[in-house]
Amino acid sequence: MRRFCRCPMVRQLLTLSMAAITCAPGLFAQSDFEVTGQVEVLSGVASRPLPDASQVVVWLTPLSATIPTALPQPQKPLRLVQRHKSFVPHLLVVQAGSMVEFPNEDPFFHNVFSLFQGKRFDLGLYEAGSTRSVLFDKVGICYLFCNIHPEMSAVIVVVNTPYFAISDRAGHILIPAVWAGRYQLRLWSEHALTDDLKSLTREVNISESTHSLGTISLRAYLNQNASHKDKYGRDYDSPTPPGSLYMQP
């Protein structure tokens, strides 16, 4: 071993390797920041701030090749629960390649489907206490409904980055563990127009001195997907009568 380590060629390779590590610490040590921001939601008609600025999705797509985009393992399974004829939560953001569970916690059948943008699927009828899962492998906006209960709706936003957040009621945004570098900033809101969202897309640079997105103003209008058909493209039957807990397929 001593004879091998004294080899001039090996000593030269070791010296070059240590020099590379010293000169390029960013390749071996993570440098990340908490990226903050403020979303201001304006009335699309009156152009005045609304009291509720929640449910706005903000995400950063890396433009620098050195920024990692590996999918982190979630601490808990990603779930969109069916409870009291509602989806909980109403809005979910996932990275492409994520598996999402759809447990039915109601005492009757549900039929979750999405035939619009993003991932298209139909889970069929399944009973209380059972769960079905979907792999979201396509980037896009998925509008979800139940084929039995027209009042049920949810949205899953599938992005190609692990750096995303949803604004709270006060409009606060916090994206943790963002690496330094160049990103494309994008936003989405269920109440915004597509052209308005496109106009807010821009490039940002995250660094030790700059890791705030500042204030972003967004106009809100009525829900663009308030009216929808069932999975066959037909109008829904009459709403479920009050007190009718058990639905037959």
Side-chain angles (χ1 to χ4, degrees):
M1 176 64 71
R2 290 181 181 176
R3 189 176 305 156
F4 176 77
C5 291
R6 289 176 181 176
C7 174
M9 183 176 293
V10 173
R11 288 203 306 270
Q12 184 178 8
L13 289 174
L14 289 173
T15 301
L16 291 173
S17 299
M18 292 305 295
I21 294 174
T22 303
C23 295
L27 296 176
F28 300 91
Q30 180 176 351
S31 177
D32 55 34
F33 307 95
E34 284 191 346
V35 173
T36 58
Q38 179 72 36
V39 173
E40 179 185 49
V41 178
L42 305 174
S43 167
V45 178
S47 297
R48 62 171 178 267
L50 298 176
D52 186 356
S54 64
Q55 302 290 285
V56 177
V57 182
V58 179
W59 69 97
L60 302 172
T61 303
L63 298 176
S64 303
T66 56
I67 300 174
T69 58
L71 178 67
Q73 294 297 323
Q75 296 180 350
K76 297 180 180 179
L78 297 171
R79 309 175 82 216
L80 200 66
V81 181
Q82 299 148 80
R83 183 187 302 142
H84 305 312
K85 293 184 184 179
S86 297
F87 288 107
V88 182
H90 174 74
L91 173 63
L92 184 65
V93 186
V94 303
Q95 187 173 0
S98 298
M99 186 75 74
V100 178
E101 298 177 353
F102 292 85
N104 181 4
E105 295 185 359
D106 276 331
F108 39 79
F109 286 96
H110 282 303
N111 181 174
V112 183
F113 73 96
S114 179
L115 301 177
F116 300 85
Q117 300 180 43
K119 179 79 173 186
R120 299 169 63 91
F121 63 90
D122 177 6
L123 298 185
L125 283 168
Y126 59 108
E127 61 187 357
S130 58
T131 301
R132 296 191 179 179
S133 301
V134 175
L135 175 65
F136 287 85
D137 52 0
K138 181 181 179 181
V139 172
I141 311 299
C142 302
Y143 297 96
L144 280 65
F145 304 101
C146 176
N147 199 52
I148 301 174
H149 307 100
E151 65 270 34
M152 293 178 64
S153 68
V155 183
I156 294 182
V157 179
V158 186
V159 297
N160 57 350
T161 173
Y163 310 111
F164 56 81
I166 302 175
S167 65
D168 62 15
R169 184 176 177 83
H172 297 150
I173 287 291
L174 175 61
I175 307 177
V178 179
W179 282 49
R182 294 168 47 246
Y183 294 85
Q184 181 186 62
L185 166 69
R186 295 189 63 186
L187 290 89
W188 182 87
S189 169
E190 192 171 8
H191 307 290
L193 300 178
T194 301
D195 289 343
D196 289 349
L197 293 173
K198 288 182 179 179
S199 69
L200 294 171
T201 300
R202 58 185 171 91
E203 183 177 322
V204 297
N205 187 66
I206 304 301
S207 65
E208 185 173 358
S209 60
T210 306
H211 44 88
S212 171
L213 302 176
T215 300
I216 306 171
S217 296
L218 181 72
R219 292 185 179 274
Y221 298 86
L222 293 177
N223 191 344
Q224 305 299 306
N225 298 282
S227 177
H228 64 275
K229 305 290 187 180
D230 67 12
K231 68 180 183 180
Y232 303 110
R234 301 192 297 254
D235 291 331
Y236 280 81
D237 295 331
S238 300
T240 307
S244 243
L245 292 181
Y246 294 89
M247 287 284 299
Q248 296 300 322

